[in-house]
């Protein structure tokens, strides 16, 4: 078996984590160290208290050896996250903008760089959890928008996309197959719809068509409606 | 590749080590990013993508020289370098990470080659996507499978049922990648024209937006790297 089934439809959480670890973070070295050539980058020469950007996986190793301190990113603070949470509450059908790997980042920072964070880690943890839950609820309510053609998923992070991927793709593929098989009968009835479409183009929510699933005029439903 | 070549490469790498600094770090980072992206793309695309032989070669070459550095240093630790243990740890961790990527990439390709064996075999367009080793693997693997099927049961069934690539009767025995599969994409560069989705519906893809869309309708832009699979 060259590639197991469970890996084919989507990424494993650990693989997303791997991708997140490639991202750069700012750190302050506590000691100096010579530069080191690597395969995917070169570790720059470390000088005491001179800020450098290095990949997270490297920062984790250096932190364990007590060589560096992390400079926490702006978004990892109670104030910022609270504000995002408010935003999520206010805009029912829109996701607020978060880093592409915010879930993995916050987890890694909370585990490996606890003492470098400005706010207490337990309160960051709880607000992250709140954010996560409110976004999950929105994602689930967005499932009814699934169609056979296309969808936008703006401001969702890779981990969040990854979680819904197997389900969303399966549903969309099934709808496509269903649609394909009814296409011939659908076409004859569709002539009337076509004329109506011009007047209904601003109808964002789509309407129930004869076949029982949501169908959008321009085949382009924005979950976040952020046009 | 024998041991002499490896040593030669290592030497040239060591000689070049000094002048390379900021500039080479940038090149390395770009190549690494590319490696990550081809892995993601191969993972999420329904069909086999062209083999990135040049990139994989470069990465494998660097992998080998890093392994050499570890081996050299574990025999005789450099006394004047107090951080050598930490450095070896870092080098080793990175090797593990790159190994994972390359291994997963190659295995994934093998899986697709197995799955769409006949389809690839029948099309020149698909054949050029394979590396030399993969081609070799495919041909031999197919030969072995045919032999096995023949010996174990095909020789006992009527002749007209012995085909492995029968396409008559409306049902094809050849496994093809489903190009209409939904994929998740991110738009990197401005897409000037509207994309046809479904029968004749069009959508405009906006920059930096994320969509779930049919692979076939955006394949062109994935090839031109204006859109990436995620």
């Amino acid at each position: 078996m060259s590639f197991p089934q469970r890996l084919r439809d989507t990424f494993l959480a650990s693989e997303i984590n791997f991708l997140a670890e490639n991202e750069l973070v700012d750190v302050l070295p506590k000691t100096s160290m010579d530069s080191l050539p690597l395969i995917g980058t070169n570790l720059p020469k470390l000088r005491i208290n001179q800020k450098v950007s290095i990949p997270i996986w490297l920062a984790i190793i250096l932190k364990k050896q007590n060589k560096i301190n992390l400079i926490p990113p702006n978004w990892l603070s109670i104030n910022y996250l609270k504000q995002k949470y408010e935003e999520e509450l206010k805009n029912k059908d829109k996701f607020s903008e978060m880093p592409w790997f915010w879930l993995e980042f916050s987890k890694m920072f909370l585990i490996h760089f606890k003492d470098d964070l400005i706010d207490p880690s337990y309160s960051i943890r709880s607000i992250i959890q709140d954010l996560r839950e409110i976004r999950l609820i929105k994602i689930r309510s967005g499932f009814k928008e699934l169609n056979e053609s296309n969808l936008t998923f703006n401001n969702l992070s890779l981990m969040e996309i990854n979680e819904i991927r197997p389900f969303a793709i399966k549903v969309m593929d099934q709808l496509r197959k269903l649609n394909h098989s009814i296409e011939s009968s659908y076409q004859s009835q569709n002539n009337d719809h076509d004329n109506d479409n011009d007047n209904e183009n601003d109808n964002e929510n789509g309407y129930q068509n004869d076949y029982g699933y949501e169908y959008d005029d321009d085949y382009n439903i924005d979950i976040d409606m952020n046009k | 590749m024998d041991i002499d070549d490896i040593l030669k490469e290592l030497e040239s790498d060591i000689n070049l080590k000094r002048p390379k600094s900021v500039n080479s770090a940038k090149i390395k980072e770009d190549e690494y990013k590319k490696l990550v992206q081809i892995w993601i793309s191969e993972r999420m695309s329904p069909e086999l993508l062209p083999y990135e032989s040049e990139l994989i070669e470069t990465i494998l070459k660097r992998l080998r020289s890093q392994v050499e550095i570890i081996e050299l240093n574990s025999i005789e630790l450099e006394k004047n370098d107090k951080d050598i243990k930490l450095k070896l740890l870092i080098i080793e961790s990175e090797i593990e990470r790159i190994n994972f990527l390359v291994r997963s990439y190659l295995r994934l390709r093998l899986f697709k080659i197995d799955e769409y064996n006949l389809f690839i075999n029948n099309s020149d367009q698909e054949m050029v996507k394979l590396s030399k080793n993969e081609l070799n693997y495919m041909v031999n693997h197919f030969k072995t499978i045919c032999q096995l099927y023949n010996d174990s049961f095909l020789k006992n069934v009527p002749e007209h049922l012995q085909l492995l690539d029968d396409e008559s009767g409306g049902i094809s025995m050849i496994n093809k990648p489903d190009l209409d599969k939904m994929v998740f994409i991110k738009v990197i560069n401005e897409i000037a024209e509207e994309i046809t989705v479904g029968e004749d519906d069009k959508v405009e893809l906006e920059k930096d937006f994320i969509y779930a869309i049919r692979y076939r309708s955006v394949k062109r832009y994935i090839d031109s790297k204006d859109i990436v699979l995620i």
Side-chain angles (χ1 to χ4, degrees), chain A residues 2 7-8 15 18 21-22 33 38-42 148 150-154 165 169 176 183, chain B residues 24 28-29 32 43 62 83 93-94 97 107 111 178 180 182 197 199 209-212 214 230:
Chain A
S2 45
L7 295 177
R8 278 176 219 159
E15 289 172 322
F18 174 89
E21 281 169 359
N22 290 329
M33 196 170 112
L38 295 170
I39 301 170
T41 181
N42 289 340
E148 59 99 30
N150 72 87
L151 265 184
T152 58
F153 293 87
N154 287 325
R165 186 183 339 241
I169 286 189
R176 184 191 91 209
E183 209 121 76
Chain B
S24 85
K28 284 179 180 177
E29 276 160 29
Y32 182 67
R43 193 69 180 271
R62 271 193 221 134
D83 290 321
S93 317
E94 203 206 16
R97 295 175 67 83
R107 291 179 67 124
F111 157 71
D178 178 10
D180 280 321
M182 290 289 166
V197 291
E199 284 311 302
F209 274 37
I210 293 163
Y211 298 88
R214 286 184 198 192
I230 52 172

Side-chain angles (χ1 to χ4, degrees), chain B residues 72-130:
Chain B
L72 284 179
N73 278 293
S74 52
I75 302 165
E76 197 179 340
L77 283 180
E78 274 180 59
K79 299 281 185 304
N80 48 5
D81 195 342
K82 57 184 183 344
D83 290 321
I84 190 69
K85 272 198 175 147
L86 176 59
K87 283 181 176 173
L88 288 180
L89 176 69
I90 291 173
I91 291 176
E92 214 165 317
S93 317
E94 203 206 16
I95 289 176
E96 286 304 316
R97 295 175 67 83
I98 307 259
N99 268 342
F100 159 73
L101 272 182
V102 175
R103 198 179 296 137
S104 182
Y105 175 69
L106 294 177
R107 291 179 67 124
L108 181 53
R109 292 180 59 84
L110 283 186
F111 157 71
K112 286 189 187 175
I113 292 169
D114 280 350
E115 190 81 0
Y116 308 122
N117 194 318
L118 279 166
F119 172 72
I120 297 172
N121 229 331
N122 291 344
S123 142
D124 292 340
Q125 229 178 334
E126 295 292 318
M127 293 276 251
V128 295
K129 293 177 181 172
L130 302 183

Side-chain angles (χ1 to χ4, degrees), chain B residues 24-39:
Chain B
S24 85
K26 179 85 180 68
I27 295 172
K28 284 179 180 177
E29 276 160 29
D30 288 347
E31 279 167 348
Y32 182 67
K33 269 187 202 142
K34 207 174 153 202
L35 178 69
V36 171
Q37 187 54 52
I38 62 168
W39 174 67

Side-chain angles (χ1 to χ4, degrees), chain B residues 38-84:
Chain B
I38 62 168
W39 174 67
I40 297 177
S41 306
E42 194 68 66
R43 193 69 180 271
M44 288 306 147
S45 112
E47 61 168 348
L48 189 70
L49 299 173
Y51 183 67
E52 300 278 347
S53 56
E54 219 168 285
L55 180 67
I56 299 287
E57 261 321 300
T58 328
I59 298 283
L60 287 182
K61 205 166 105 185
R62 271 193 221 134
L63 260 178
R64 281 193 293 265
S65 68
Q66 294 293 79
V67 171
E68 289 285 326
I69 290 178
I70 290 187
E71 280 169 3
L72 284 179
N73 278 293
S74 52
I75 302 165
E76 197 179 340
L77 283 180
E78 274 180 59
K79 299 281 185 304
N80 48 5
D81 195 342
K82 57 184 183 344
D83 290 321
I84 190 69

